[in-house]
């Protein structure tokens, strides 16, 4: 885990959700080992309830040829640190949805990463204009510890909803808990409402446990 300093911002500062502290530097936090990148076999898949009922995939070159954007957005970790004003450059989730439309009735997606790690999202969160499959942070390529070659960034949710080392998106007609959601984290992950843990869930926040 990386070491860095945390500083409190004034309580009235509108940029920080409740319970968060300003972070200088970017700690390295993840579950399991850092995967080895293999460019010749790497691909990015979209499967599940697609409009065509078929799986679609891009190789490394094809994925990086998709439309790209730079999004300025904050980063809120459930461990209570926040990094403000980051520039994330990559493929917007909206471009993936345009290239591979979901079938009628799709309400959620599961984002899959290396080693079977997963995070579930409502379709509306995934389709948000600022949700991006980031390849660069503040103009520099991601390091492997921070998710190279691709990590998902969903700025309006806690950062665990944006896995590192993403490999696939599954379209779903019903919600299903991801890796951390199965282990006690909140299904919605709204930092402004401090939805951190599953015991805080109310009816409608997620599938039954």
């Amino acid at each position: 885990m990386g070491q860095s300093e945390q500083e409190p911002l004034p309580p009235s500062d509108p940029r920080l959700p409740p319970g968060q502290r300003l972070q200088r530097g970017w700690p390295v936090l993840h579950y399991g080992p850092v995967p080895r990148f293999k460019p010749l076999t790497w691909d990015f898949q979209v499967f599940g309830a697609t409009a065509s009922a078929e799986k679609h995939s891009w190789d490394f070159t094809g994925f990086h040829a998709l439309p790209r954007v730079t999004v300025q957005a904050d980063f809120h970790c459930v461990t209570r640190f926040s990094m403000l004003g980051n520039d994330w450059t990559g493929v917007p989730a909206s471009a993936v949805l345009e290239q591979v439309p979901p079938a009628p009735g799709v309400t959620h997606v599961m984002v899959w990463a290396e080693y079977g790690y997963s995070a579930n999202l409502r379709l509306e969160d995934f389709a948000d204009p600022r949700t991006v499959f980031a390849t660069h942070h503040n103009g520099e390529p991601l390091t492997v510890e921070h998710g190279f070659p691709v990590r998902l960034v969903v700025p309006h949710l806690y950062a665990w909803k944006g896995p590192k080392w993403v490999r696939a998106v599954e379209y779903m007609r019903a919600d299903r808990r991801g890796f951390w959601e199965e282990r006690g984290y909140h299904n919605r992950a709204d930092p402004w409402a401090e939805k951190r843990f599953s015991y805080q869930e109310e009816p409608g926040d997620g599938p039954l446990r």
Side-chain angles (χ1 to χ4, degrees):
M1 182 183 300
Q3 294 183 348
S4 50
E5 298 179 357
Q6 293 184 342
E7 288 188 356
L9 286 184
S12 60
D13 193 300
R15 296 174 294 173
L16 285 180
Q20 296 294 109
R21 297 172 63 88
L22 177 64
Q23 182 76 34
R24 289 185 175 179
W26 192 1
V28 176
L29 300 172
H30 56 259
Y31 178 88
V34 175
R36 181 181 177 185
F37 174 57
K38 300 178 181 179
L40 296 181
T41 59
W42 187 93
D43 65 357
F44 184 100
Q45 300 182 5
V46 180
F47 66 98
T50 65
S52 66
E54 296 179 351
K55 179 176 72 175
H56 189 94
S57 66
W58 295 272
D59 61 15
F60 184 73
T61 300
F63 183 78
H64 282 260
L66 292 173
R68 298 176 65 80
V69 297
T70 296
V71 173
Q72 186 174 80
D74 302 332
F75 181 92
H76 305 299
C77 183
V78 73
T79 60
R80 297 186 181 275
F81 77 80
S82 291
M83 304 186 327
L84 304 178
N86 307 274
D87 285 337
W88 305 98
T89 300
V91 176
S94 59
V96 173
L97 290 166
E98 291 173 3
Q99 293 282 325
V100 188
V106 167
T107 58
H108 292 77
V109 303
M110 187 73 76
V111 180
W112 292 95
E114 298 282 1
Y115 304 127
Y117 180 90
S118 60
N120 60 318
L121 292 165
R122 296 180 300 172
L123 183 60
E124 62 195 82
D125 292 320
F126 183 71
D128 187 278
R130 297 198 304 161
T131 298
V132 60
F133 290 98
T135 60
H136 291 66
H137 175 251
N138 290 342
E140 298 292 332
L142 292 173
T143 63
V144 65
E145 293 82 7
H146 284 302
F148 175 85
V150 179
R151 74 175 296 156
L152 183 65
V153 176
V154 189
H156 62 286
L157 301 180
Y158 282 121
W160 89 76
K161 288 290 190 179
K164 302 178 183 181
W165 312 302
V166 173
R167 295 296 301 275
V169 175
E170 177 187 0
Y171 294 161
M172 305 188 298
R173 289 189 173 94
D175 197 7
R176 191 169 79 243
R177 293 180 186 270
F179 181 89
W180 286 116
E181 294 78 16
E182 290 182 335
R183 289 162 175 79
Y185 281 77
H186 200 286
N187 198 57
R188 295 286 292 276
D190 180 354
W192 295 97
E194 285 202 86
K195 294 185 175 182
R196 301 175 187 272
F197 304 109
S198 60
Y199 70 80
Q200 299 170 301
E201 290 179 3
E202 298 178 356
D205 279 340
L208 296 177
R209 299 185 63 80

